[in-house]
Amino acid sequence: MDLRANVETSHNNELTMTEERKITTTPVMEFYRDKCVLITGGTGFIGRLLIEKLLRINVRQIILLSRPKKGKTVQQRCDDLFGSVVFMNLKKDCPTFVERVKLVDADLQHPSLGLSDESIEYIVNNAQIVLHAASDVRFDQALKKAIEVNVRGTRDLLRIAEKIVNLELFVYISTAYSNCPQTLIKEQFYTPPCDPEKMIQLVEAMDERFEEHMNKTVNDFIHPWPNTYVYTKALTEDVVRQYGELLPIAVVRPSIVIATNEEPISGWTDNIYGLNGVIAGVALGIIRIMHVDDNNKADIIPADIVVNAVLAAGWQTHVERKLDRPLPEAKASGELKGAVKPRAKIYNCVTGNDNPISYQKIYEYSIEVGKHCPPKKSLWIVCHNTTQNKYMYEFYKLLYHLLPAFLIDTYLRAIRRTPRIMDLYRKVHKFATVISYFANGRWEFESDNMKMLRERLTPDDQIMFPCNIKKIEWTEYFWTYIHGLRKHIANEPLENLNEAIKRHKQMRIVHFFILAAYYSLLALLAFYLCKAVGMLVF
């Protein structure tokens, strides 16, 4: 398989942006135009893309909640955020776009988001749309902090949203795996692991001794959820469900979010979470063995598809619920006591049903593209293997990771340099343990709401807010994706590509010599061991 031809047909960002410029108005654009939008998580992966897209379709103002940083002014923090390559095209078209962003100090870990009274008053009187993209995404986060940020932070934001004078929409970005103990994930709310409010009260009452005990027993406490991230997402969805009885709320559940497909630039990502970390580790020659079922569907979705789905789902929620009675009037009439059926709609933003891809295909595409754009700073060449058997995984981990790491560190010590490879693999193996649950599990996701949403978009909205995953060509996408990882994660310029390819050819020759010596030594050791125990008789 040769993917080099795909470079000619890969997504051309300038063409995409030109096509968009021809469209001046659509129903979705009109809904967001001239609105004041509150965004949480705006400095994160999805958040930055949301900000860029909203500014591009001419919202009036973005209220960006951001944690204060010591020693940095508001202007310096804005410069850090908007210095990203994500805003490159926007700067060309609208150099003064920063003037439409109001940065507000906030911290989701604190009660009431750590907002001042003045900030809350400004939000209540000005915000019209709330897009809640912030969460603590670390799988191994302590339960106390995960609940404070993900559950209490969302509840407190919803309490503020209740007071917003002209609230038109609240969108909560969850995860498709919030209810992962289920094998069939429908677009509905599920019974939470426990009462979210009681869990908030529990962590608020924790002393250090209780917190330490909880950290040691957290896996038993949250079972059958595999980590605190998805556990707290399940709790948070129930909080959203309760407020969604009257507030105009939509919940978008993306699956495994990876680099952008087309906009604002193709192949962009800023993190090594999940699949990004695996592919980067394989490309750098660090990860040589993974515990994964190759035949499993990898429900991956490009980040810009998620952003477009969020904005389209928000528009649809407004259309469906704009005739709802105002919140104060509904409270007075007793409607706040709740409806029998939750009114907030859920959108599973997934690819597995309409455009499935297996882990095996992901590795094949990534390795093939990687031959044409290897990173110069790699530890070694790509030598990727997988196994479904956890015992064989432990054996191969020793053979392919730990033993070579020990030998390299021994050499580094001998030349009086700091050994670092064993420490690197401890982090790699911790990461591998965390993602193993999702790499080996099997889920089916219903996505009828997403399908109906796409069908309701006008042809122009389908151009401006593309979220039809059937149109993604995976071979084409992975050409863009791997080049993007090299550029944005490995920070390697295109100018050193020839030098990197030459280096990899040299390493490949050395690799085969080392491999021959390595296995010859193992065979020799096995021979003498068998001879010593009498298994060989001459």
Side-chain angles (χ1 to χ4, degrees):
M1 178 178 61
D2 190 348
L3 301 180
R4 281 176 290 183
N6 287 325
V7 71
E8 298 298 330
T9 57
S10 61
H11 294 296
N12 186 311
N13 237 75
E14 292 300 323
L15 290 177
T16 302
M17 304 300 282
T18 302
E19 187 177 34
E20 285 188 1
R21 289 191 188 102
K22 295 177 183 177
I23 300 172
T24 57
T25 182
T26 71
V28 178
M29 290 174 69
E30 281 303 310
F31 170 60
Y32 289 100
R33 182 171 287 150
D34 292 327
K35 295 287 172 48
C36 179
V37 183
L38 169 68
I39 295 182
T40 69
T43 57
F45 182 35
I46 293 295
R48 290 190 193 198
L49 296 171
L50 275 170
I51 291 173
E52 193 277 340
K53 183 83 175 190
L54 287 167
L55 289 171
R56 192 162 15 115
I57 59 176
N58 291 318
V59 296
R60 174 169 51 86
Q61 184 184 52
I62 288 177
I63 303 173
L64 174 59
L65 302 191
S66 174
R67 280 180 297 185
K69 292 183 179 179
K70 290 182 179 179
K72 287 200 173 185
T73 64
V74 170
Q75 185 59 49
Q76 287 172 327
R77 285 154 58 195
C78 277
D79 291 342
D80 289 345
L81 173 61
F82 297 118
S84 170
V85 67
V86 167
F87 299 96
M88 176 180 63
N89 290 323
L90 187 61
K91 284 178 181 177
K92 293 177 184 177
D93 296 338
C94 183
T96 61
F97 73 87
V98 178
E99 296 174 4
R100 288 187 281 151
V101 180
K102 178 179 176 63
L103 209 61
V104 175
D105 286 345
D107 190 336
L108 264 70
Q109 192 177 357
H110 296 158
S112 300
L113 313 182
L115 289 166
S116 66
D117 291 340
E118 292 78 10
S119 295
I120 292 175
E121 184 180 2
Y122 185 88
I123 291 168
V124 167
N125 291 325
N126 291 277
Q128 295 164 280
I129 296 169
V130 179
L131 303 180
H132 184 26
S135 65
D136 192 318
V137 300
R138 284 168 288 188
F139 286 0
D140 59 348
Q141 183 58 271
L143 183 62
K144 183 178 188 293
K145 184 175 181 181
I147 288 175
E148 287 173 341
V149 174
N150 296 345
V151 186
R152 187 180 66 186
T154 303
R155 182 205 64 182
D156 290 355
L157 182 62
L158 283 161
R159 286 179 173 178
I160 294 171
E162 271 190 314
K163 301 173 184 176
I164 291 177
V165 177
N166 295 308
L167 181 69
E168 297 184 33
L169 171 68
F170 186 109
V171 180
Y172 173 61
I173 302 176
S174 185
T175 170
Y177 298 96
S178 56
N179 297 284
C180 56
Q182 308 284 335
T183 54
L184 174 63
I185 310 296
K186 299 180 179 182
E187 291 175 306
Q188 67 180 42
F189 290 99
Y190 287 84
T191 303
C194 58
D195 186 332
E197 193 60 40
K198 288 182 179 178
M199 282 303 301
I200 293 172
Q201 293 170 5
L202 176 65
V203 299
E204 287 179 339
M206 275 186 185
D207 56 22
E208 290 185 7
R209 186 176 177 182
F210 185 23
E211 184 180 356
E212 184 179 349
H213 171 73
M214 178 63 76
N215 291 339
K216 291 178 180 178
T217 60
V218 66
N219 289 336
D220 294 330
F221 184 83
I222 66 175
H223 184 78
W225 277 261
N227 57 64
T228 56
Y229 171 65
V230 290
Y231 177 81
T232 52
K233 281 291 190 178
L235 291 175
T236 306
E237 283 193 6
D238 193 60
V239 175
V240 173
R241 175 193 62 79
Q242 295 173 42
Y243 281 85
E245 291 174 356
L246 283 180
L247 295 181
I249 293 179
V251 177
V252 178
R253 291 180 181 153
S255 50
I256 303 170
V257 184
I258 54 176
T260 55
N261 181 43
E262 286 186 334
E263 55 173 337
I265 54 172
S266 56
W268 179 78
T269 184
D270 67 350
N271 66 76
I272 53 172
Y273 298 132
L275 187 67
N276 288 345
V278 173
I279 300 299
V282 171
L284 292 168
I286 297 170
I287 298 178
R288 301 186 182 92
I289 181 68
M290 285 290 294
H291 180 214
V292 61
D293 182 351
D294 279 349
N295 297 316
N296 260 5
K297 287 191 295 187
D299 208 300
I300 56 177
I301 189 157
D304 51 334
I305 300 292
V306 175
V307 167
N308 291 324
V310 166
L311 297 179
W315 162 76
Q316 180 63 22
T317 301
H318 171 72
V319 170
E320 292 177 346
R321 299 191 61 174
K322 64 183 177 181
L323 298 179
D324 282 0
R325 301 173 72 184
L327 185 61
E329 183 183 344
K331 280 183 176 180
S333 66
E335 291 182 22
L336 195 57
K337 293 179 181 178
V340 175
K341 183 179 179 180
R343 302 181 66 194
K345 186 176 283 188
I346 294 175
Y347 298 85
N348 283 343
C349 192
V350 296
T351 57
N353 295 335
D354 298 318
N355 198 353
I357 182 171
S358 67
Y359 282 104
Q360 182 179 2
K361 285 297 180 183
I362 287 175
Y363 297 138
E364 285 180 9
Y365 296 159
S366 300
I367 291 170
E368 181 63 27
V369 175
K371 292 177 183 177
H372 308 291
C373 61
K376 184 183 176 182
K377 294 179 288 190
S378 61
L379 180 67
W380 204 243
I381 66 169
V382 173
C383 311
H384 184 63
N385 303 278
T386 63
T387 179
Q388 297 180 46
N389 188 299
K390 63 180 181 180
Y391 299 108
M392 289 303 296
Y393 169 69
E394 292 298 326
F395 171 72
Y396 286 131
K397 189 169 74 174
L398 176 67
L399 195 64
Y400 294 149
H401 288 177
L402 298 179
L403 187 55
F406 173 75
L407 294 175
I408 294 171
D409 276 356
T410 300
Y411 170 74
L412 290 173
R413 288 189 182 94
I415 61 173
R416 298 182 181 277
R417 293 180 62 181
T418 304
R420 60 184 186 275
I421 308 301
M422 286 295 285
D423 285 340
L424 172 64
Y425 275 112
R426 287 190 188 96
K427 295 175 182 177
V428 167
H429 294 154
K430 183 179 179 181
F431 170 72
T433 300
V434 165
I435 67 171
S436 176
Y437 175 90
F438 300 98
N440 292 286
R442 297 195 176 191
W443 292 271
E444 291 293 331
F445 298 98
E446 289 188 354
S447 54
D448 293 340
N449 288 344
M450 270 302 304
K451 291 174 184 175
M452 287 189 287
L453 171 62
R454 290 195 296 265
E455 291 170 0
R456 288 172 182 170
L457 294 177
T458 65
D460 282 350
D461 268 327
Q462 291 178 25
I463 293 173
M464 286 300 302
F465 303 91
C467 52
N468 187 351
I469 45 84
K470 289 183 179 180
K471 294 185 178 181
I472 298 174
E473 293 291 341
W474 288 122
T475 52
E476 192 175 310
Y477 172 79
F478 271 89
W479 181 272
T480 300
Y481 179 34
I482 302 304
H483 280 79
L485 286 177
R486 186 183 192 274
K487 180 178 181 180
H488 303 296
I489 297 299
N491 294 317
E492 297 205 9
L494 193 62
E495 288 73 22
N496 76 354
L497 185 56
N498 290 333
E499 191 177 346
I501 292 173
K502 181 180 178 181
R503 179 173 179 269
H504 268 251
K505 287 180 179 178
Q506 294 170 344
M507 283 198 300
R508 187 170 292 277
I509 295 171
V510 175
H511 169 76
F512 286 117
F513 275 109
I514 292 176
L515 208 59
Y518 189 63
Y519 283 111
S520 296
L521 179 60
L522 288 177
L524 193 63
L525 289 172
F527 171 78
Y528 281 113
L529 181 62
C530 291
K531 187 177 180 181
V533 297
M535 292 179 65
L536 295 176
V537 180
F538 295 95

